[in-house]
Each structure stands twice: as C-alpha cells, then as structure tokens.
Amino acid sequence: MLSKKQAARMVSAVILTSTLLGAGASFSTEPVEAASTMGSTSRIAKEHALTTLDEIYNKAFSGEMPYTAKGLKISENTQKEVYETFGPPPEPSKTDENFDYYHAEMGHPGFAFAYNHDKTLSQIRYFGTNVERDHNLGSITPKVLGKQLGSADEIRHISSTNETNYIYRTGNYELQFIVGEDQTVDHINLLETK
C-alpha cells in the first residue's frame, strides 16, 4: 500500500503529465492553423498582384496607367496636368533622367513621370506599394508574367543594376517589367514604342 505522500506525488505527476500533454496537443495545432492562414494570405496576395498586373497591362494599350495616374496619357498630357493630379513633386524630385517622383504613401502606389521637350509625358513609372508589397509587384515574377501575359517581346539584361527588363508591346506603347535580383518586379515603365 502507498503512503499518503507517495499517492499525492503520483496523483500530482499524473495531473502534471496530463496537463503538459494536453497543452502540448493544443500547441501542436497552432502551426497547422498558422500554416493554413499563411497559405490563405499568400493566395490573396497573389490574387491582388494578378489583378494589378491585368489592370496595368490593359491600360497600357491606351498609353495610361491605372490608379492615381488614371487619365494621364503618354504624349498627350502635360507636366502641368501631372501636377494638377499629384501636386508639385516633393523635393528632391528630379534625377539625372528628369523624372518627377511621387513616393508610395499608405494605400497609394508610387509613380514617376518623365517628359518630352514639349513637356508632354514621355514615360510613366509604376513602383507599386511599400506596405504589403506582396499584394502588388512583390508577387509578380518572370514566371507569373509568362503565365499571365505570354512570352515577352524582348528581354534585356541591365548590367549596371543587374536587373532584367521584360518588354511587352501593347500597340503603340510598351510595358517594361524591371525584375530585380530577388526575381520579383521592382517597377514597371510605360512609354511609346520606338
């Protein structure tokens, strides 16, 4: 027969073991739930990225970009009209290529605009969003481009930046998807086909 002390220890050990095993069992389901949530989040991000890609591609046939730049057309709209839409660019706004940069803000993608000699738009650059980038350009890879848009009309390696430019011609315009070393699109250029 067990003494009261031994019985109490045994009961305590059983309770402690049951508690630990029970807690372990409940913890073991969390990674499964987290993984399924992550899979769902990843799927949603990719769907958003594909929607963005489709919108940009379809607008490119008319020389435009969607979102805040909607209505600004290559070779038609002027720098003044860009300023009316976006406001004057924040300083420093110019680079060697004379682009006006508008950085991504919460919920708004970043853009840059270059101009012809007559101050009409010559190029629109789309930088996507910084927050939840995977819902935008961060989920677009060369494989996604090929699957959604088909083979690029031209592919160029940019040795100065070690990036690759996937060029798709859209009528009188071309979209240039600049892919970085991480194999995702860094930014997109829209300009007239030369």
Side-chain angles (χ1 to χ4, degrees):
M1 191 156 160
L2 297 173
S3 70
K4 286 184 181 182
K5 262 188 178 177
Q6 289 174 326
R9 281 187 191 152
M10 190 179 271
V11 169
S12 295
V14 168
I15 292 171
L16 181 60
T17 303
S18 300
T19 304
L20 289 175
L21 289 176
S26 70
F27 286 127
S28 68
T29 62
E30 286 182 20
V32 172
E33 291 169 10
S36 69
T37 302
M38 282 175 39
S40 175
T41 301
S42 177
R43 182 183 51 76
I44 291 168
K46 288 178 182 175
E47 287 174 8
H48 281 281
L50 292 177
T51 299
T52 297
L53 178 59
D54 288 342
E55 288 176 7
I56 289 171
Y57 183 74
N58 290 331
K59 277 291 194 188
F61 283 91
S62 63
E64 299 176 71
M65 282 276 191
Y67 311 117
T68 339
K70 185 178 178 180
L72 297 174
K73 189 171 180 177
I74 299 289
S75 294
E76 286 187 18
N77 293 97
T78 64
Q79 186 176 40
K80 181 182 177 193
E81 291 167 311
V82 170
Y83 289 3
E84 288 170 0
T85 301
F86 283 85
E91 293 297 327
S93 63
K94 300 288 183 184
T95 68
D96 294 337
E97 300 176 66
N98 290 330
F99 278 90
D100 286 331
Y101 282 90
Y102 296 88
H103 300 285
E105 302 285 331
M106 183 64 93
H108 299 285
F111 285 94
F113 302 92
Y115 306 95
N116 296 310
H117 293 295
D118 64 356
K119 295 292 187 187
T120 57
L121 278 169
S122 64
Q123 187 174 154
I124 301 173
R125 268 190 191 166
Y126 176 78
F127 292 102
T129 55
N130 292 335
V131 178
E132 294 184 333
R133 187 156 177 84
D134 60 334
H135 283 66
N136 204 272
L137 299 183
S139 286
I140 300 174
T141 63
K143 184 177 179 180
V144 170
L145 289 173
K147 187 175 180 181
Q148 287 298 115
L149 306 180
S151 297
D153 294 307
E154 185 179 346
I155 300 173
R156 292 185 208 143
H157 180 70
I158 307 167
S159 57
S160 61
T161 59
N162 204 26
E163 295 172 315
T164 306
N165 186 351
Y166 291 81
I167 301 167
Y168 289 83
R169 292 192 179 79
T170 56
N172 295 326
Y173 308 95
E174 65 182 44
L175 276 174
Q176 300 177 350
F177 294 89
I178 311 301
V179 176
E181 291 183 27
D182 67 352
Q183 291 302 298
T184 64
V185 173
D186 178 70
H187 66 276
I188 301 170
N189 302 327
L190 174 66
L191 55 149
E192 280 188 296
T193 303
K194 295 179 178 168

